[in-house]
Amino acid sequence: MPTTHSVCPLDCPDRCSLDVTVEAGKVTAIAGSRVNPITDGFICDKVRHFTERQYGADRLLHPMRRSGPRGSGQFERITWDEALDTIAVRMREARKVHGGEAILPFNYGGSNGMLTQGGTDEWLWRSIGASRLARTVCAAPTGEACRALYGRMASHDFPDFEQARFILIWGANPKHSNIHLMPYLKAARAAGAKIALVDPRLTMSAQYVDMHLPVYPGSDAAVALAMIGHLDRSGRVDRGFLNAHATGSDRLLSRAREWTLERAAARARVKASDIAAIAEAYAAAQPALLRCGWGLERNRNAESSVAAVLALPAVAGKFGVPGGGYALAASPAYDVDDDRLAGKPEAPTRSINMNRLGRALVEETRPPIDVLFVYNCNPVVTIPDQNRVRRGLMRDDLFTVVFEQVMTDSALYADILLPATTFLEHTELSNSYGTYAVMLGAPAVAPAGEARSNEEVFAALAERLGVAEGMPRGEALLRRALASIGGPMGGDGGRKEDALERLRRDKILRFDFPGERPVQFVTTFPTTADGKVHLWPEALGDDPYVVLPDPGDADPRHPLALISPATNKTISSSLAEYGFREAVLEMHPDDARSRRLADGALVRVHNDLGEVVVPLRINREVRPGVVFLPKGLWNRHTRNGAVSTAVSPDHVTAVSGGACFNDARVEVQSA
Ligand SMILES: Nc1nc2c(c(=O)[nH]1)N[C@H]1C(S)=C(S)[C@@H](COP(=O)(O)OP(=O)(O)OC[C@H]3O[C@@H](n4cnc5c(=O)[nH]c(N)nc54)[C@H](O)[C@@H]3O)O[C@H]1N2
Ligand SMILES: Nc1nc2c(c(=O)[nH]1)N[C@H]1C(S)=C(S)[C@@H](COP(=O)(O)OP(=O)(O)OC[C@H]3O[C@@H](n4cnc5c(=O)[nH]c(N)nc54)[C@H](O)[C@@H]3O)O[C@H]1N2
Ligand code: SF4
Ligand SMILES: [Mo]
């Protein structure tokens, strides 16, 4: 059967290359290919079954207008012209009455491609002076902390994990969120590497994990500082490295000395000896690799936690060898020029933090938000404080557009609903945030129904609003997107032309590192102003290593920490329409016993913000004092039509305004 080359554009670090089989104009199979060597011919179940989205009952096939109350999901079919004209009229009106800032574009990770995000959409928003969106729901604190310490230094690529003799996995769950790392972890283990996991849950079996530190959520800064303090007291700090390559180490070390093992152990609710054991094993091994995930950033203490964790490889002298240093997002190294991609510079309009959507819709008055345009995002289930978001969307005078592939919980609130193509139906240029490659995907089939691509829809709106002149489209947009990538792929415009030809021929463009992959402090270095690691980074404020008290300390009625990390069933909330049947809450047996809750019992997970009703699963792999609901549920997956964001506070991290999902403190009772 003939296959088409494609690329998975979902918000996943692996960025698989795909072979798509088409029969009689329909996609019949999706499999991993070897174009991206990391994919190695296998993909996750979710995307293997993507035809369930493509041809499923939830797929949106034509534009619609709301015909019942907000949120009711009652719509009537209209034409594209009616839909686009209505939107254009409402936008023009909003601009006339309150100015461009009365329009709020709302988008995030639904499509990680460069043609569906940041190009024609940004051109439109910038041209009409819309409010800007601070895209902070994920990775903002981690990115901020990493940049503050190391600038845009490239991170380790997956294959080098094999060379490590000790791998410290901190707040990441590769078994679910980064499955193509697993073969390299396995190979490292086979070659004798030890693996330690710092996570409130035991996410991997003994086949992978030698040491597990089940920290209480939000306590990572204390633990990492205590490790640094312990290395210092026991003479394991690499002074030579620090003197040559770092600034601020004295201040960091003196701060770390305040965090004795015992003090950190009390904050993290773990054993002091376990913190010491991991620090010692890490210091002793060479090469040792730190894999920092995104689980530790989803609380108020985020920037300090990530900074303290990322300081470890500098303090312990782990750089300078393949398989040593840290592995985090690859994205900083791409150094994408957003202005070039958008085709025009950003205007300094009002910025709205996406994590406070509910508040913005209700409380912003100068000007109020008159038009909300949601695309590549499902805020009703993915943004903190679900009930507040819903109240905001119910505002009588709000005009909401949702541009979606399927009938999500957010789509239900649309005044105008627009059907979007999937990656099987449009051209896409995808850069990976896990590894160093760019790939091009061509449409495998014609759009379902009347679905249109983001590029088409934003261009059509720009035309109606009179701002389309000069907007790059098609091939020109593709070239511009490619040219906006800097870093080790960068070069002059002329070279980029060759790059597109090469990309078409080879289906993949790899980064031009000296050597096949980046090796930190050998072929890739900090890009801070002085080229050094900033261990007391001013960018993180007066005190980069503040350890905040646990939010539960002030809330004794809600003693359990609720975390809601990624699972293998969805990508954020994408594909949940077929990925999930019903969600369960996972709880440690001790917590279930003290609450007289039996396995399978229906429970209420609640706090002052809201509640979620689901069956209970008792599971020793979650530490005591912590409960776990999956990220990305839809309302239909719980008994009361609410998801974990219903109990997530919408306060944000101090430096970068990041989301604090894991600051949810709850009580659980029989329902
Ligand atoms: N299958 C699948 N893959 C995905 C995604 C998905 O939804 N599904 N999502 C994608 C996206 S958008 C992202 S951002 C990444 C996220 O991928 P990861 O980096 O793996 O992040 P999380 O899944 O949020 O959390 C990782 C781990 O951190 C733990 N954790 C929670 N709180 C804390 C804490 O305070 N401290 C520490 N040390 N650990 C904590 C959780 O128990 C979890 O096991 O994955 C991407 N890949
Ligand atoms: N409880 C809890 N919630 C979380 C988190 C958590 O830890 N706990 N973490 C969060 C994280 S890490 C992230 S990244 C966010 C992600 O949250 P969102 O940005 O809301 O991502 P998705 O849930 O994947 O929703 C993306 C939507 O975009 C649509 N889409 C895909 N491609 C296209 C396209 O080409 N055009 C258009 N118009 N639409 C498209 C998809 O159908 C999908 O419904 O969620 C956060 N939510
Ligand atoms: S979601 Fe991740 S693992 Fe699954 S196909 Fe896409 S890139 Fe690969
Ligand atoms: Mo994310």
Side-chain angles (χ1 to χ4, degrees), residues 190-260:
K194 299 269 185 258
I195 298 184
L197 189 63
V198 183
D199 195 307
R201 300 183 302 152
L202 181 58
T203 50
M204 289 192 279
S205 66
Q207 189 196 344
Y208 288 99
V209 177
D210 300 277
M211 309 166 98
H212 178 213
L213 191 67
V215 293
Y216 196 73
S219 63
D220 302 276
V223 173
L225 288 169
M227 286 186 179
I228 292 169
H230 183 61
L231 297 184
D232 186 28
R233 275 186 296 272
S234 56
R236 292 175 166 98
V237 167
D238 187 339
R239 299 269 169 195
F241 179 86
L242 293 182
N243 288 337
H245 299 291
T247 64
S249 59
D250 289 344
R251 291 186 79 180
L252 167 62
L253 292 176
S254 96
R255 169 56 56 84
R257 280 192 289 270
E258 294 170 16
W259 282 93
T260 60

Side-chain angles (χ1 to χ4, degrees), residues 152-175:
R152 294 183 166 276
M153 180 162 76
S155 151
H156 255 298
D157 206 346
F158 300 8
D160 284 330
F161 275 75
E162 254 186 87
Q163 319 234 18
R165 287 298 149 264
F166 190 85
I167 300 171
L168 179 51
I169 301 177
W170 201 308
N173 179 14
K175 197 175 153 200

Side-chain angles (χ1 to χ4, degrees), residues 271-305:
K271 285 195 205 139
S273 57
D274 288 348
I275 301 178
I278 291 183
E280 287 162 21
Y282 174 68
Q286 197 72 297
L289 188 48
L290 168 78
R291 165 68 180 153
C292 180
W294 289 276
L296 66 157
E297 73 158 28
R298 310 198 196 283
N299 58 74
R300 277 192 318 166
N301 223 117
E303 288 91 2
S304 295
S305 289

